[in-house]
Amino acid sequence: MARIVGGITTSHIPAIGNAISREMFEDPYWKPFFDAYPRAREWLDEVKPDVAIVVYNDHGLNFFLDKMPTFAIGAAPQYTNDDEGWGLQPLPPYQGDPELSWHIINSLVADEFDICSCQEMLVDHGFTVPMSLMWPDRSKMTVKSIPVAVNTVQHPLPTPARCFKLGQAIGRAVASFPKDLKVVVLGTGGLSHQLDGQRAGFINKEFDLMCMEKIVSDPEALTRYSIHDLVRLAGAQGAELILWLIMRGTMTGTVSKVHSNYHIPISNTGAGLLVLENAV
């Protein structure tokens, strides 16, 4: 049977993609951020996942404000990256796992989640930046991927509690897949940041660190926030915390922390990295 070997959280800021393409790993601004990732990659080398479920939000490349599904899951044999206007060089396509995708989609619908299934799906920096951070050498990357796009842009957004339950349902779906696969779940985005308006540049370090502690020890505490709470405490784009909660929901009740890092600011954002394993 398939099983989830762990979960990872990471930021997906487009500026990170530019810094990667320009190999700015030793640049004084970027070095403290990039130095956190070798341990995450070492862990991935140890557990050797077959599939990565990547939870992110689309930024207008595949969906726009006129058509914005709450939850969309890729069911394609491959996912193409494209120019989205940030100056990022499009990356080669990512291999999908449509059999596992359809199993998850069918299971989620049976679990009363209404899913937009995508047999064609462009993926933007919300997907590609985390993949590049975790698997920087595409020539050696064998992991397949399943994109899970969640609306964090067009209100109303799904609540933290709803997203945590979606993660739990994805966890049940993976556990019922009959093939022997190892799956890692990436929750991307965040932490606190606001890109526009009077609070542009807003970062709440105290709230970020509390979230990083609670996502490990007591994720249900975070599900009691409303979306408006998250906007107030973490900024308009800080609502991306719901993507982390989906990742956490896929795991069992108790997890152990393999690695963590918090660094501010990266492009006006609180950047958090966590590597979690299901507790034995």
Side-chain angles (χ1 to χ4, degrees), residues 53-58 71-74 104 108 121 127 146-150 166 170 186 243 246:
I53 296 175
V54 184
V55 185
Y56 73 110
N57 59 296
D58 183 88
F71 303 120
I73 296 183
I104 292 172
L108 291 178
M121 193 172 187
F127 176 97
I146 297 176
V148 176
V150 179
L166 176 69
I170 292 174
L186 275 58
L243 310 176
I246 292 174

Side-chain angles (χ1 to χ4, degrees), residues 185-247:
V185 183
L186 275 58
T188 77
L191 289 164
S192 63
H193 61 302
Q194 177 147 339
L195 304 179
D196 50 10
Q198 293 183 349
R199 293 204 306 166
F202 174 77
I203 290 177
N204 187 341
K205 179 179 179 180
E206 181 180 359
F207 183 75
D208 288 347
L209 294 177
M210 183 278 293
C211 288
M212 292 187 70
E213 189 274 325
K214 292 295 184 185
I215 202 87
V216 177
S217 64
D218 185 16
E220 285 85 355
L222 300 177
T223 68
R224 291 191 277 274
Y225 287 106
S226 69
I227 288 295
H228 287 165
D229 289 335
L230 293 184
V231 170
R232 177 172 53 84
L233 292 166
Q237 285 72 41
E240 290 173 357
L241 178 67
I242 60 178
L243 310 176
W244 288 33
L245 280 168
I246 292 174
M247 177 285 295

Side-chain angles (χ1 to χ4, degrees), residues 251-267:
M251 304 184 73
T252 59
T254 304
V255 300
S256 58
K257 182 169 65 179
V258 177
H259 177 57
S260 70
N261 186 71
Y262 178 75
H263 178 69
I264 54 173
I266 285 295
S267 189

Side-chain angles (χ1 to χ4, degrees), residues 8 27 40 43 94 118 121 143 172 223 236 240 242 246-247 254 274:
I8 297 175
D27 179 272
W43 177 80
Y94 294 83
C118 303
M121 193 172 187
V143 68
R172 291 191 292 271
T223 68
E240 290 173 357
I242 60 178
I246 292 174
M247 177 285 295
T254 304
L274 283 171

Side-chain angles (χ1 to χ4, degrees), residues 10 21 30 102 113 120 123 135 141 166 217 235 250:
T10 180
S21 66
W30 287 102
W102 279 114
F113 282 92
E120 293 182 350
V123 290
W135 292 278
M141 190 177 80
L166 176 69
S217 64
T250 67

Side-chain angles (χ1 to χ4, degrees), residues 21-99:
S21 66
R22 296 165 66 185
E23 299 184 350
M24 300 178 70
F25 309 113
E26 298 299 320
D27 179 272
Y29 178 84
W30 287 102
K31 183 174 172 54
F33 172 80
F34 285 122
D35 280 355
Y37 284 84
R39 178 64 190 107
R41 293 194 283 268
E42 288 173 4
W43 177 80
L44 287 168
D45 287 340
E46 293 166 8
V47 299
K48 296 179 173 54
D50 301 294
V51 180
I53 296 175
V54 184
V55 185
Y56 73 110
N57 59 296
D58 183 88
H59 299 76
L61 181 65
N62 198 76
F63 305 111
F64 199 63
L65 300 181
D66 58 337
K67 302 179 186 66
M68 183 63 71
T70 300
F71 303 120
I73 296 183
Q78 71 174 24
Y79 302 99
T80 301
N81 178 218
D82 204 350
D83 183 5
E84 53 183 301
W86 291 104
L88 297 172
Q89 182 68 33
L91 299 173
Y94 294 83
Q95 187 179 5
D97 188 335
E99 185 180 4

